[in-house]
Structure formats: structure tokens, C-alpha cells
Amino acid sequence: MGRLFDIRSRTASKDHAEIVRRYELYRTLVEFLAALAFVVGSIFFFYESLVYAGTWLFLVGSVLFAVRPSIRLLLELRLANLPVPDEFRPYGAARDESSRGDG
């Protein structure tokens, strides 16, 4: 399989599925923290004394939203580099050298 953004790589083996589960958990956590930073930052803008802190929360939220696609890319790179067991290969597909156990 070894290609980026190939949906079949998400369920190619139990290891693949477990990695997808973990990365999705990380991504959800980052999204939640980003949304929380924006909501709290927005509330802070109602109070003159908290505007500076609210501005920083907006920046933190923006950075967290930028981390989200980075997590997705890291997931795809990780999946593309995992060996795929023979039983999950399409009929006639070439075997990766990395999936051989004689190395």
C-alpha cells in the first residue's frame, strides 16, 4: 500500500487500526483544546483587564489548529511506512522488502 492518504491503510492490520485510533485521539484532544482557548479568549475580551490574556489565548488556539493537520500528516507518514501483512495485500501485489522477516 505505502501511499499517503490511502484509506485502505487505516485497516490493513490491527497495528494500523491501533495507530489510527491513537492519532485520532491526539487530534481530537488538540481540537478540543483549540476550541477551549478560543472560547475562553472570547470571554476574556469582555473584560478590559483580560484582553491581553485573551489575545494570547487566540494565538494559542490558532497554533493548536495548525497542529491538527500536522497530526494527520504524521499519521499518514506512519501508516505509509508500516509493513502490510500478506493476507491484507491485493491479489498479485508486490511484497515490500520491509515486510519480510528475514532481514
Side-chain angles (χ1 to χ4, degrees):
M1 289 200 198
R3 293 194 301 183
L4 293 178
F5 301 100
D6 185 352
I7 193 73
R8 294 173 298 172
S9 67
R10 294 175 159 265
T11 57
S13 72
K14 287 183 181 181
D15 289 339
H16 287 74
E18 176 60 23
I19 288 170
V20 169
R21 187 195 66 76
R22 258 188 272 142
Y23 276 80
E24 290 296 329
L25 177 66
Y26 303 149
R27 207 167 112 192
T28 301
L29 180 62
V30 166
E31 285 182 64
F32 178 77
L33 292 173
L36 184 65
F38 274 102
V39 169
V40 173
S42 297
I43 292 169
F44 280 12
F45 272 92
F46 287 115
Y47 305 96
E48 188 66 36
S49 62
L50 296 174
V51 169
Y52 184 76
T55 303
W56 274 102
L57 284 173
F58 271 50
L59 179 62
V60 168
S62 297
V63 169
L64 288 172
F65 277 131
V67 168
R68 183 178 175 258
S70 302
I71 292 172
R72 174 72 191 272
L73 181 59
L74 289 173
L75 167 63
E76 294 298 332
L77 291 170
R78 178 92 186 267
L79 290 175
N81 288 317
L82 276 180
V84 177
D86 287 336
E87 62 267 19
F88 291 99
R89 291 185 187 289
Y91 180 73
R95 188 174 187 196
D96 293 340
E97 292 300 316
S98 62
S99 66
R100 293 177 44 187
D102 58 23

